[in-house]
Amino acid sequence: MASYTGGAAEKARVAKLQKQREKGRAEMEKAIQKVKESARGSNIAFSKTKVDAVEETTGIGLVTLGELREREAQQKLEQEKAELEKGVKKKKKRKEISTLSFNLDDDEECEEEPLVLKKKKKIGKNPAVNTSFLPDKDREAQELQEIEELKQEWVEKQKQIKAQEVELTFNYWDGSGHRHKVQIKKGFTIEQFLNLALDELVRIYPDVRCASVDMLMFVKADLIIPHYLTFYQMEQMKARGEKGPLFRFVPHKEEENKPAGLLKDDLQYGKVTLRSWYERNKHMFPANQWKSFDPEVNWEKYTLEQTFKR
């Protein structure tokens, strides 16, 4: 150690500090020696310091902070890679175990076949059991189709009925009857029938030349029939009067020499008259017997008492 040049007091102070350092170092060595002796039986070795251990594992002494962080990141990546490889090996091993077929009775070495899982059979319906009361989409669809077919068949049949030709005989009534005939279809309304009748009457009777369909009335069996009803509707509802049915359409007889399929009404002929004539003569016979047709009235239970109540 280089000699210190200074005052006497400074030399004394420096000498005192050197003695204190030597004394502390000696105490530290004694403490280390004591710990080594006490740890000999517990497999703990203190032959190297932490720095010596780092130098042995890394082969490098002191490093910078950047190099240390880079080395730690690389170690972390290596550790994650090792864990992934370990997980893949475990999965592969588990898969190999699941595909093994164990046969304890067979001691011969053979190739292990994979285990084949059999699919469970689906339980179906018993054909011997009546299941008509259970819901069935196929059966319901078939029933709906049959209903639709029947509906279409019924509609076509009604169209054919409405298209049937009818020769209708009527009397133009102006106080006396004048017989005429027109050819209509069952699907015609009373208004359409009166329109045809007016075309027939205009050529003969001057009092109807200025009339319109609304000014005409159709009376059958003393009942005034509304213009909106059709002959088809009255036939379907089986319209009746006091003396029986209003209409009954039947084929012509062979000796009448009428076209095939042409029908006629073989009941009492109806009357076509002007509404103005009815208003002038409704207090006299036969107009005083006429009344409006009401489908709700049940004439099947008609009695003579109803005649006196009118």
Side-chain angles (χ1 to χ4, degrees):
M1 184 175 176
S3 60
Y4 177 77
T5 57
E10 290 296 330
K11 289 182 180 180
R13 189 175 65 83
V14 170
K16 185 178 180 181
L17 289 175
Q18 288 179 353
K19 288 180 182 180
Q20 288 178 356
R21 287 178 183 177
E22 291 175 359
K23 185 179 179 180
R25 188 178 299 171
E27 289 177 356
M28 179 67 70
E29 289 179 357
K30 287 181 181 180
I32 291 172
Q33 188 67 24
K34 189 175 181 181
V35 171
K36 287 181 180 181
E37 291 176 356
S38 62
R40 284 177 182 174
S42 58
N43 297 325
I44 300 175
F46 286 90
S47 59
K48 298 178 182 179
T49 61
K50 185 176 180 181
V51 177
D52 296 334
V54 172
E55 290 179 356
E56 184 177 346
T57 54
T58 59
I60 305 173
L62 297 176
V63 294
T64 62
L65 180 60
E67 293 175 352
L68 181 61
R69 288 179 178 177
E70 184 179 353
R71 190 176 296 113
E72 288 178 353
Q74 186 176 0
Q75 290 177 356
K76 188 175 181 181
L77 289 174
E78 291 178 356
Q79 185 177 0
E80 291 178 356
K81 185 177 178 181
E83 289 178 355
L84 288 175
E85 291 178 355
K86 188 176 180 181
V88 171
K89 288 180 180 179
K90 284 184 178 179
K91 288 182 180 179
K92 188 175 180 181
K93 187 176 181 181
R94 192 179 304 161
K95 187 175 180 181
E96 290 176 355
I97 293 173
S98 62
T99 55
L100 291 177
S101 61
F102 298 95
N103 190 356
L104 300 177
D105 297 333
D106 190 4
D107 295 335
E108 296 180 358
E109 294 183 358
C110 61
E111 295 183 357
E112 296 173 349
E113 298 179 356
L115 180 63
V116 180
L117 298 176
K118 294 183 179 179
K119 293 183 179 179
K120 293 183 179 180
K121 294 183 178 180
K122 187 178 180 181
I123 301 174
K125 296 180 180 179
N126 186 355
V129 178
N130 182 19
T131 58
S132 59
F133 59 92
L134 295 175
D136 190 341
K137 292 183 179 180
D138 296 336
R139 185 175 67 248
E140 290 175 359
Q142 185 177 359
E143 290 176 356
L144 290 175
Q145 185 178 0
E146 291 176 357
I147 292 171
E148 189 65 26
E149 290 176 357
L150 291 173
K151 183 179 177 181
Q152 292 296 330
E153 183 180 350
W154 182 85
V155 170
E156 292 297 329
K157 187 176 180 180
Q158 301 310 307
K159 286 182 179 179
Q160 293 176 4
I161 294 174
K162 291 178 182 180
Q164 288 179 343
E165 299 282 345
V166 178
E167 187 180 58
L168 190 64
T169 304
F170 67 94
N171 287 319
Y172 172 64
W173 192 264
D174 57 355
S176 60
H178 309 279
R179 188 169 298 178
H180 296 273
K181 294 181 181 180
V182 292
Q183 191 167 322
I184 63 170
K185 294 181 180 181
K186 282 187 180 181
F188 279 13
T189 61
I190 300 299
E191 184 179 2
Q192 289 174 310
F193 156 67
L194 291 175
N195 196 12
L196 294 175
L198 183 62
D199 293 340
E200 179 73 18
L201 299 175
V202 164
R203 295 177 296 177
I204 304 171
Y205 307 102
D207 53 346
V208 298
R209 289 178 182 173
C210 295
S212 63
V213 175
D214 296 335
M215 300 170 65
L216 296 178
M217 294 170 54
F218 180 56
V219 182
K220 185 74 181 288
D222 294 339
L223 293 175
I224 303 172
I225 311 299
H227 286 195
Y228 62 85
L229 287 176
T230 65
F231 294 94
Y232 167 79
Q233 289 174 335
M234 289 186 286
E235 184 184 32
Q236 294 296 315
M237 72 173 65
K238 298 180 181 179
R240 293 178 60 87
E242 296 178 358
K243 300 177 183 178
L246 295 182
F247 298 95
R248 184 170 63 193
F249 301 114
V250 296
H252 284 276
K253 296 180 181 179
E254 294 182 0
E255 57 269 19
E256 294 179 356
N257 295 324
K258 296 292 182 179
L262 184 64
L263 304 177
K264 68 176 182 177
D265 180 19
D266 66 342
L267 296 179
Q268 181 183 2
Y269 300 146
K271 298 180 179 66
V272 175
T273 184
L274 286 169
R275 194 176 296 274
S276 59
W277 182 94
Y278 171 72
E279 294 294 335
R280 291 194 308 267
N281 299 280
K282 62 182 177 181
H283 61 285
M284 299 173 57
F285 184 85
N288 62 348
Q289 302 293 316
W290 298 350
K291 51 186 174 295
S292 298
F293 171 73
D294 186 1
E296 306 251 337
V297 177
N298 186 5
W299 292 105
E300 293 180 358
K301 298 180 180 179
Y302 171 76
T303 60
L304 293 176
E305 294 179 0
Q306 290 176 309
T307 304
F308 297 107
K309 289 180 180 179
R310 284 187 308 194

